[in-house]
Amino acid sequence: MAGKRVTIRDVARAAGVSYQTVSRAFNDKGEINGDTKRRVMESARELGYRPSRFARGLVRQDTTSIGLVIPDLLNPFFTEVAAAALDAARQRGWHVLLYDTADDRELELDALGVIGSQVDAVVGYFYEPVEIIEKVVHGMPTVYIGRDRAGATFTSIHIDGGPGIRAAVAHLVADGRHRIGMLDHGGNRPPSSRRRWFLDAMREHGLTGVAVGADQSIDGGARAMASMLEAHPDLDGLLTYNDVIAIGAIRRAVQLGRRVPQDCAVIGFDGLSLGEIVEPQLTSIRIDTRQLGALAIEQVAKLLAGEPAGLATVTPALHVRGSA
Amino acid sequence: MAGKRVTIRDVARAAGVSYQTVSRAFNDKGEINGDTKRRVMESARELGYRPSRFARGLVRQDTTSIGLVIPDLLNPFFTEVAAAALDAARQRGWHVLLYDTADDRELELDALGVIGSQVDAVVGYFYEPVEIIEKVVHGMPTVYIGRDRAGATFTSIHIDGGPGIRAAVAHLVADGRHRIGMLDHGGNRPPSSRRRWFLDAMREHGLTGVAVGADQSIDGGARAMASMLEAHPDLDGLLTYNDVIAIGAIRRAVQLGRRVPQDCAVIGFDGLSLGEIVEPQLTSIRIDTRQLGALAIEQVAKLLAGEPAGLATVTPALHVRGSA
DNA sequence: AGCGGTCACGTGACCGTTCACGACAATGCT
DNA sequence: AGCATTGTCGTGAACGGTCACGTGACCGCT
């Protein structure tokens, strides 16, 4: 039953033709008699024959497929990026293998390992440093999302939050706010670039920013906000590493009796459409995720064509809604 | 440059060994001298050699990959399902090719067409009827999510909303509400099963339900709610086809001066985690998307093993939060 | 009758790997 | 020294298709 795979020759034998004729029938190529074709398709269906994707791909090397590696599909930011990349890939007729590494370094490397023999290129948002990644992909074309720099051997897409964060701080300061904090990403990861941009921007206004880490989830944002408000009860402005954290922070702030934005303005980062359905609507530094996804695919295309692609940059901009 | 692919023989020639030895080096199989291996890997890297996934797959037919077809990744319900399926597939070591058909029948068929030669099985949430789908997948194992029935040749996962919807209606009635409406999905699609379950449940209480269609988006929910309230200003309870519609409906209801849930209670369908971040939190008939995704993969596994899998069912349950 | 042109189909080569097997040198043993 | 053993490596054959040809039947034409 689970015996041998049924091959094109089995079908040929059953239909009383040569295997080439079967091939013709399946690819409705060239000249083949209508009756013969029907007969072939008939016995093919009876035997449950389906052409091997490997054998087929081996000879006509047209289809390209890429691996998309993200840390967490349920994080709306990555959902949007994935959707955009999927769309861009489809327009080129590419296939996309999606891997969700569940924020796990181990799984990230695993995914890259198994991916290697399945795709022509990889694009992803990785946690591991480039050197480690490169070791495991064995020279496969790779595009890194969210890396500040590119190297001789790798291509990346830089998210330059500097201008947006500067605009956000300026927006708060212009509103008369001076006690501004930030909820950075947390865990044991090093401080993000976004935190640096924030601190720099504060300094430009002669202010001192205070930053703490938060898990990248609503609860994480809520918890971090609680300790932030405990340490700085007079906080009147907040930036966050991303929108999800911001939403958690707002909720906790409200629970603790703050009015948002009156008592404490909150500005997220990502500009997810999710920010529209919360109350107040979330002001955020908005990344054009469609552009980001399209750019990623474009870079892959360049790499696949042999031209080194280097560094591409997206520059998110402040998008004022209700929370600041 | 964009010339021929570099094959295992090229590497062999460069390293001065046979191609078999190169193969050994790459799969760190059996007996090979350490020095030889290093030398092989070296020239492989110089030439930029990477084994062909097709040739490799052809001979060791171990890797299985499946296609996951969904209408819209940005719809949080499908995001959750996809994430769950991805996870379940990973646990089996399967690869997942994801296709977002953008709610487009044309693209759905396109996706299935190109998928055919790339995957071993397909699971998806399709709009087209089974007969059409079957025609284009050419006998590939297929699992249909959200179909009420299974057939001899296809397998499906049924979402039995009946009990949940009955509970929801009972919940509203117990609350003294009698003027209950429903926002079904819209477009030119036929009324959903959910609508039928709703009308039946209402009838059981001796009530008459009124249902109108809505686009599956926040805006769609808002628009439909506006016309619903215009036609029935005294509406005091609402069910919706899904949570996204419910969120739009709540927003519009509030804009039109209704208090939710006091004046009009709203119950969604899907039970997305999204429902926790809106105010009030959304009461909903909750589908266990993790179970749904896992079940889908499980059915695929059965199909792949040769055992017909038939019909599986998930039964969502009323999950009371704040909006009803 | 002989010829060229279609149509429908079959033959041989090839795609890039892995696997089973055999060859061969170096080594160990008696 | 003779022989079995071990460690490395090479050779031939799949794996399941597609593609460029070659071939024969059949047709109409001169």
Side-chain angles (χ1 to χ4, degrees), chain A residues 66 71 96 140 173 208 282 297 299 302 308 310 312 321 323:
Chain A
I66 67 167
V96 176
M140 179 159 40
V173 169
T208 310
L282 188 61
I297 297 300
Q299 296 284 81
K302 279 189 192 155
R321 290 191 281 217
S323 70

Side-chain angles (χ1 to χ4, degrees), chain A residues 53 95 99 117 251 276, chain B residues 53 95 99 117 120 251 276:
Chain A
R53 67 170 190 274
H95 300 253
Y99 296 83
S117 51
R251 176 191 294 181
E276 292 174 14
Chain B
R53 67 170 188 275
H95 300 253
Y99 296 83
S117 50
D120 303 305
R251 178 190 293 182
E276 293 174 13

Side-chain angles (χ1 to χ4, degrees), chain A residues 50 53-54 57 63 65 90 95-99 116-118 120 138 140 218 251 274 276-277 305, chain B residues 1 50 53-54 57 63 65 79 90 95-99 107 117-118 120 138 140 218 251 274 276-277:
Chain A
R50 289 193 320 111
R53 67 170 190 274
F54 293 117
T63 66
S65 53
R90 183 170 43 72
H95 300 253
V96 176
L97 282 87
L98 185 58
Y99 296 83
S117 51
Q118 294 285 332
D120 302 305
H138 282 305
M140 179 159 40
I218 294 186
R251 176 191 294 181
L274 189 68
E276 292 174 14
I277 70 169
Chain B
M1 115 102 258
R50 289 194 320 112
R53 67 170 188 275
F54 293 116
T63 66
S65 52
T79 312
R90 184 170 44 71
H95 300 253
V96 176
L97 282 87
L98 184 59
Y99 296 83
L107 284 181
S117 50
Q118 295 284 329
D120 303 305
H138 282 307
M140 177 159 41
I218 294 188
R251 178 190 293 182
L274 188 69
E276 293 174 13
I277 71 170

Side-chain angles (χ1 to χ4, degrees), chain B residues 184-261:
Chain B
D184 194 13
H185 69 186
N188 36 19
R189 295 198 244 283
S192 68
S193 304
R194 301 177 192 181
R195 181 196 294 219
R196 192 164 36 74
W197 289 321
F198 163 69
L199 295 174
D200 288 351
M202 289 292 283
R203 206 169 299 125
E204 286 177 19
H205 290 275
L207 298 173
T208 310
V210 42
V212 305
D215 283 348
Q216 291 195 42
S217 67
I218 294 188
D219 270 355
R223 281 195 301 273
M225 187 57 170
S227 57
M228 174 67 93
L229 282 176
E230 189 164 5
H232 307 274
D234 52 354
L235 194 81
D236 60 5
L238 182 77
L239 265 63
T240 63
Y241 177 79
N242 67 16
D243 281 358
V244 174
I245 292 176
I247 289 173
I250 290 181
R251 178 190 293 182
R252 179 56 53 90
V254 169
Q255 284 170 357
L256 293 176
R258 263 72 168 186
R259 290 169 307 162
V260 177

Side-chain angles (χ1 to χ4, degrees), chain A residues 63-266:
Chain A
T63 66
T64 80
S65 53
I66 67 167
L68 178 57
V69 179
I70 56 174
D72 178 17
L73 187 59
L74 291 178
N75 178 326
F77 172 65
F78 294 115
T79 312
E80 289 194 6
V81 173
L86 237 47
D87 193 40
R90 183 170 43 72
Q91 286 173 25
R92 295 178 184 265
W94 292 357
H95 300 253
V96 176
L97 282 87
L98 185 58
Y99 296 83
D100 185 330
T101 63
D103 266 315
D104 186 313
R105 303 165 120 76
E106 196 91 23
L107 284 180
E108 179 172 306
L109 294 179
D110 278 5
L112 286 170
V114 297
I115 241 180
S117 51
Q118 294 285 332
V119 299
D120 302 305
V122 159
V123 39
Y125 199 106
F126 306 104
Y127 281 140
E128 294 287 341
V130 175
E131 308 82 50
I132 307 233
I133 302 282
E134 278 189 326
K135 201 146 291 170
V136 58
V137 297
H138 282 305
M140 179 159 40
T142 308
V143 173
Y144 296 77
I145 301 179
R147 290 286 156 102
D148 291 7
R149 317 168 1 145
T153 53
F154 74 102
T155 302
S156 69
I157 298 185
H158 175 39
I159 299 177
D160 182 12
I165 287 186
R166 208 172 305 126
V169 170
H171 178 77
L172 293 177
V173 169
D175 226 30
R177 306 177 190 270
H178 299 98
R179 318 195 64 95
I180 306 173
M182 171 174 185
L183 302 186
D184 195 13
H185 67 188
N188 36 20
R189 294 198 245 284
S192 68
S193 306
R194 300 177 192 181
R195 181 196 294 219
R196 191 162 39 71
W197 290 320
F198 164 68
L199 296 175
D200 288 351
M202 289 293 282
R203 206 169 299 123
E204 287 176 18
H205 289 276
L207 299 172
T208 310
V210 42
V212 306
D215 283 348
Q216 293 194 41
S217 65
I218 294 186
D219 271 353
R223 282 195 301 272
M225 188 58 170
S227 56
M228 174 67 94
L229 283 176
E230 190 164 3
H232 307 275
D234 51 356
L235 194 80
D236 59 5
L238 182 77
L239 265 64
T240 63
Y241 178 79
N242 67 17
D243 281 358
V244 174
I245 292 176
I247 289 173
I250 289 180
R251 176 191 294 181
R252 181 56 53 88
V254 169
Q255 284 170 356
L256 293 177
R258 265 70 168 187
R259 293 168 304 162
V260 177
Q262 296 87 338
D263 298 332
C264 183
V266 176

